[in-house]
Amino acid sequence: QDRLSSMDIVTMSLSTVGGVDSYCFEEVLGEAGLNSLTTYSGRAIENSYGVHPSAITLRFHRHWVRVEGMELRAKSHDVGTRMSETWEFKQGDEVAAPMAYPFSKTNLMTGRLPVRSTGKGFVDKVEWQFPKDFCLEHIVLHGYVTPKAVSTPAHGSLGRLG
């Protein structure tokens, strides 16, 4: 799969970096994420453990997005000690929305979590803000996406842009 950043669609940045190299970050948004459910390689996007708070930022270069839901999958090896169970999700300049999920070794995947929004506009930046560490293998975003050159949104699965 081509990386989304190589097509200048999205750039992912972390407040501090542990885990995979930065050129692999966008793979977390791919069909299987950094690890498939059947083949485990131990790869994940992670902050530098112990450096708090931590954040993940996605910038969309060619599209406006409106996120209505998300799915997250934590890294099984580190989930018990290194995955925040609470975080805030922010779209553009909106007020951050508090979110939570009880991650554990037997509960790695959130399923679709609704995102509470404080606005109705489209944005080109979304951000997760974690009070502690994070270790994620897969992120899927659900909502609306439209090219920046078009003013009418189209419904879709944002995490599968590539």
Side-chain angles (χ1 to χ4, degrees):
Q1 170 185 333
D2 289 335
R3 291 189 180 85
L4 296 173
S5 64
S6 66
M7 296 173 12
D8 195 36
I9 293 174
V10 65
T11 300
M12 179 180 287
S13 59
L14 310 181
S15 56
T16 63
V17 179
V20 298
D21 292 327
S22 60
Y23 68 86
C24 298
F25 287 171
E26 285 81 15
E27 289 180 43
V28 76
L29 301 169
E31 193 70 33
L34 287 164
N35 300 297
S36 73
L37 293 174
T38 57
T39 307
Y40 181 71
S41 67
R43 298 172 63 214
I45 58 168
E46 305 165 351
N47 66 306
S48 292
Y49 289 162
V51 179
H52 307 134
S54 52
I56 302 168
T57 304
L58 283 181
R59 291 196 176 273
F60 295 86
H61 300 290
R62 298 184 196 174
H63 297 86
W64 297 107
V65 300
R66 181 93 220 130
V67 178
E68 294 183 341
M70 72 175 68
E71 300 173 47
L72 304 177
R73 185 175 77 226
K75 180 180 174 184
S76 63
H77 184 271
D78 293 340
V79 69
T81 56
R82 300 294 185 186
M83 186 62 207
S84 294
E85 291 187 356
T86 62
W87 66 94
E88 293 183 330
F89 183 71
K90 187 174 180 181
Q91 299 191 63
D93 293 330
E94 290 184 8
V95 173
M99 300 190 75
Y101 186 77
F103 289 101
S104 70
K105 288 242 183 220
T106 58
N107 209 15
L108 296 173
M109 296 180 283
T110 63
R112 186 173 174 160
L113 296 174
V115 172
R116 184 176 54 89
S117 175
T118 59
K120 296 187 188 287
F122 283 73
V123 300
D124 60 2
K125 178 179 115 176
V126 297
E127 184 174 66
W128 291 260
Q129 300 167 341
F130 298 93
K132 297 183 180 176
D133 297 322
F134 65 84
C135 55
L136 293 170
E137 297 178 348
H138 198 201
I139 298 171
V140 177
L141 299 176
H142 300 278
Y144 295 91
V145 59
T146 189
K148 285 189 174 178
V150 176
S151 60
T152 306
H155 193 262
S157 176
L158 301 178
R160 305 210 197 304
L161 285 172

